[in-house]
Amino acid sequence: MSDEGKKQDLLLETTDCLEAIGTLKSNKNLFFFICLICLLLLQASFWLMATHHVNYNSTEPNDISVKQPVKTVTVVPASENKEDANTITDPNTGWEKYSAKIATAKIDFNKLAWMIRICNYLLIVSSVIYAMSLLFGLMISLVGRLGGISHVTKAFFVSLLFIVVLIPWPTFFKGIIFGTIFRPAELLSSWLAYPEMSNFERCYMYFRFVAMGVISILLLLWAQLKSMRWSKNTLKRLGIVG
């Protein structure tokens, strides 16, 4: 085979590797954002409980025997109507009204529990696919000699560490204190027992529901940063980016 034929085969092989890496990059970024959004939603669920914006008793009985009061209609003079219109159009009054509604708004715990379950499922699936995308990128870089091997290798191992931190180990083993994913029943029971907890138990609760989530987010961002450097070095190696 001539030198020109070898160059053409090498160019075709490099082009195929580049197309495969482009597909992996898009999938990797998609599952990165899914993991990040789910982690933020889990943190939001904890702080909704902490700020008393969750209604524990989602079903409240309605007393149908209570009679509704009779509404009376009063006629207001036109001059008073103008004054009321001026007060309604005051932006400060409207903002205070809506801010008060937001401050006292509550959501049912059943809806929050469904959100937690969906986030847990998406986190497990997306984190595994994210790590597998980095592994395939590492294999393609090795075969195609595209460069950036150190960055994608670090990103892959950090993604594995992210999965280890993500798994709810306290659910399976009672002696282990770390695990980002939590069940709705764990969150509810912790807040119901919060007034009677000791300082050590409260610190453990915040570590379990807050600190582990922050650690997982940092690991995910670290893996994504390393994978972005790998993509940049690959494009530099191919001469696409200067």
Side-chain angles (χ1 to χ4, degrees), residues 90-150:
D90 187 4
N92 295 326
T93 305
W95 170 250
E96 290 177 357
K97 180 177 68 175
Y98 288 116
S99 62
K101 287 183 179 180
I102 294 173
T104 57
K106 288 188 177 183
I107 63 173
D108 296 336
F109 183 77
N110 292 334
K111 298 178 180 179
L112 188 67
W114 274 109
M115 185 191 73
I116 293 174
R117 294 188 186 100
I118 293 173
C119 289
N120 291 342
Y121 174 77
L122 291 176
L123 272 173
I124 294 174
V125 175
S126 300
S127 61
V128 173
I129 299 178
Y130 180 76
M132 294 299 294
S133 300
L134 293 174
L135 177 60
F136 290 148
L138 173 60
M139 296 171 61
I140 293 173
S141 297
L142 288 172
V143 172
R145 299 177 182 179
L146 300 179
I149 303 299
S150 62

Side-chain angles (χ1 to χ4, degrees), residues 55-120:
N55 184 18
Y56 299 153
N57 299 321
S58 59
T59 56
E60 297 180 357
N62 295 324
D63 190 0
I64 59 176
S65 62
V66 177
K67 295 182 179 180
Q68 298 293 334
V70 179
K71 296 182 179 180
T72 59
V73 179
T74 58
V75 179
V76 181
S79 60
E80 295 183 2
N81 286 334
K82 292 180 181 180
E83 293 178 357
D84 293 339
N86 292 331
T87 57
I88 291 174
T89 56
D90 187 4
N92 295 326
T93 305
W95 170 250
E96 290 177 357
K97 180 177 68 175
Y98 288 116
S99 62
K101 287 183 179 180
I102 294 173
T104 57
K106 288 188 177 183
I107 63 173
D108 296 336
F109 183 77
N110 292 334
K111 298 178 180 179
L112 188 67
W114 274 109
M115 185 191 73
I116 293 174
R117 294 188 186 100
I118 293 173
C119 289
N120 291 342

